[in-house]
Amino acid sequence: NPNKFVQNRSENIVVALGGGALQLKKTRELIKEMSFCVYLKCSPMVLAERLAQESEYSKRPLIASVIEDSKKVRAELLQKWIEEKISQREPHYLDCSDAQIDTTDWNQEAILLHLASLLL
């Protein structure tokens, strides 16, 4: 129910959590209790391609640790790493989420329009 957040807060905010944020039980409990959580899913292959092309991947320490010089190698290494992380984390994402959106084939505008339709 998207209105549960409205009932608990005087103003609405959007918080983008890092991929590992829901590993903590207390965080999961707070998210489930006080928010409308949307899990933005994406295929590991597309995530790896997007991340390998980021020019500022060094701001992502976990990802920077698996980056190599070649973009092709980057994408292959990242895909394997992402598949492992998703297998560990997805049960928590699914447990906490009120809705899921597969963003694999969508651009930012389509994602935002779908998010807005869920919240309005």
Side-chain angles (χ1 to χ4, degrees), residues 46-66:
V46 170
L47 276 175
E49 290 170 0
R50 290 175 184 169
L51 290 168
Q53 292 174 8
E54 270 190 15
S55 60
E56 298 186 27
Y57 61 82
S58 62
K59 292 181 179 178
R60 299 172 180 262
L62 290 176
I63 292 170
S65 69
V66 296

Side-chain angles (χ1 to χ4, degrees), residues 72-107:
K72 183 175 182 181
V73 172
R74 282 186 203 171
E76 290 171 4
L77 288 171
L78 284 172
Q79 183 175 343
K80 182 177 171 140
W81 182 84
I82 288 166
E83 288 168 353
E84 182 180 306
K85 292 299 176 191
I86 287 174
S87 72
Q88 296 167 355
R89 297 172 175 179
E90 191 166 49
H92 298 309
Y93 298 164
L94 294 171
D95 179 49
C96 289
S97 65
D98 296 293
Q100 297 93 36
I101 300 174
D102 189 335
T103 66
T104 301
D105 297 319
W106 290 15
N107 62 29

Side-chain angles (χ1 to χ4, degrees), residues 25-39:
K25 183 178 180 182
K26 184 65 175 169
T27 303
R28 291 193 305 272
E29 290 169 352
L30 287 170
I31 292 297
K32 288 166 72 170
E33 177 187 337
M34 303 199 59
S35 73
F36 182 80
C37 180
V38 179
Y39 170 26

